Each structure stands twice: as C-alpha cells, then as structure tokens.
Amino acid sequence: MKIKLIIAVFLSLNFFGFEVPAPSLKKVNKTIQSTYNIEKFSLKSVSLSKSINEQLSRKINNESLIKIISDNELIGYVYLDNAPSKTATFDFFVLFDANLIITKSKVLRYREEYGGEIGSKRWLKQFIGGTASDAFIPNNNIMAIAGATISVNSMTKAINEILVNIGKLEELNVI
C-alpha cells in the first residue's frame, strides 16, 4: 500500500509539474557555470505557499524557481518555464543574479518547425539587464522575427510575467 502511494505521488508530481529532462538540466548547469564563472554550486528550490502563489500572475511550482548557491553565498536564481508557440510549447529558462537582474535566458527545447529563431543568442540577449521594473514590448524594445511572431510574442509575454512575479516575490520578502 505504501509503495502504491509513493508511486501515485511521484506520477502526479511529474504529470502536473514542470519537469526538466536530464539533458536540459545539463544545459542549465553548464550555462550557470559559464555565466557566473563558477565550478561548484548547488541548486535549491524556492518553495512558495499557496497564498503567495495565488498573488502571482504566473503560478510557480517547486521546480520552477531555484536558488543558485556557491560557497554558502547566493549567486542568483534560475527560473524554468514553458510557453506556447503556434501549436506546441517550448521550454526555456531565465537566470537572475542576486540583485534580481536578468543575466541570461535560453530556450531549452523548441518543438515546432518555425519560430525556433527565438532561441538564438543574438535575439535572447535583448532581455539581459531586465528587472522587475522593466516591460519588454515586441517591435518596440524587442526585435520582431519574420515567421516567428507568435513565439516572439509568447516569449516576451512570459518574460514580462516572470519579471512581475520576481518583483512581487521581492516585495513580499520571499526572495
């Protein structure tokens, strides 16, 4: 009976939560190492109460917002999420430094034939330096990409919602 309960809990967490596949986790770790120039670090999930999560525009599960710690010092945060494209979704992450400024964003997995150009380093660098007080707007301060309008709008909207959430969590002294 106990084993069945453990299996049921594990399956429900994987079904309802955002799961990072092992190859993607390797990419996240490698990006953290190169962005912050650190070899050894640990990742610790930021757990939010239901009441705090209800105040957020984009819900955060226990695997989405993670502290990056090296030598007992907060280096920053990684925010893992996914967003819709035309007919599927794509997985991405955003790195924040300890001052909650975007230092890097990266598309982990893009599942469509068109629009994958949003994963280019050149396009994603537009978000670097973003803070909770910033708003990104396609065709204004975010470059449009021909053939990727839906993905550009989706990624920009997701980043804006993440920034609003980060600002709210900072205001609530959660991070």
Side-chain angles (χ1 to χ4, degrees):
M1 181 68 176
K2 211 176 205 180
I3 292 174
K4 287 182 183 178
L5 178 63
I6 292 170
I7 291 171
V9 169
F10 177 77
L11 290 176
S12 67
L13 286 173
N14 282 333
F15 182 75
F16 293 109
F18 177 71
E19 183 182 328
V20 182
S24 295
L25 190 56
K26 285 182 182 179
K27 286 181 187 177
V28 171
N29 288 338
K30 190 174 180 180
T31 304
I32 290 170
Q33 287 176 325
S34 64
T35 302
Y36 299 116
N37 198 24
I38 54 175
E39 281 297 316
K40 294 182 182 181
F41 60 91
S42 61
L43 301 174
K44 183 179 179 195
S45 291
V46 176
S47 190
L48 303 177
S49 69
K50 185 178 178 182
S51 64
I52 288 177
N53 220 342
E54 288 173 352
Q55 298 178 52
L56 303 177
S57 61
R58 192 175 187 95
K59 303 305 174 223
I60 299 174
N61 66 40
N62 288 340
E63 295 86 31
S64 295
L65 183 60
I66 303 165
K67 287 182 184 181
I68 306 166
I69 300 166
S70 180
D71 293 328
N72 294 320
E73 181 183 333
L74 176 67
I75 302 301
Y77 295 88
V78 59
Y79 194 117
L80 296 144
D81 209 345
N82 59 18
S85 51
K86 186 174 183 178
T87 62
T89 62
F90 57 92
D91 304 333
F92 68 95
F93 69 94
V94 180
L95 292 181
F96 291 89
D97 66 15
N99 296 316
L100 304 174
I101 299 169
I102 295 177
T103 55
K104 185 91 157 183
S105 57
K106 192 168 201 165
V107 174
L108 289 168
R109 186 167 181 213
Y110 194 83
R111 296 175 180 84
E112 300 230 26
E113 204 171 315
Y114 299 102
E117 295 88 353
I118 65 163
S120 77
K121 289 178 184 179
R122 181 175 173 242
W123 189 79
L124 288 168
K125 74 179 183 181
Q126 299 173 96
F127 298 107
I128 294 174
T131 67
S133 62
D134 292 324
F136 294 107
I137 303 165
N139 296 318
N140 184 349
N141 57 358
I142 295 296
M143 291 184 300
I145 300 174
T149 304
I150 293 170
S151 296
V152 164
N153 290 336
S154 182
M155 181 66 159
T156 303
K157 179 182 179 195
I159 296 278
N160 283 330
E161 289 175 348
I162 289 167
L163 288 172
V164 168
N165 279 353
I166 290 294
K168 186 71 172 174
L169 293 175
E170 183 179 29
E171 177 185 310
L172 295 171
N173 293 317
V174 174
I175 57 174

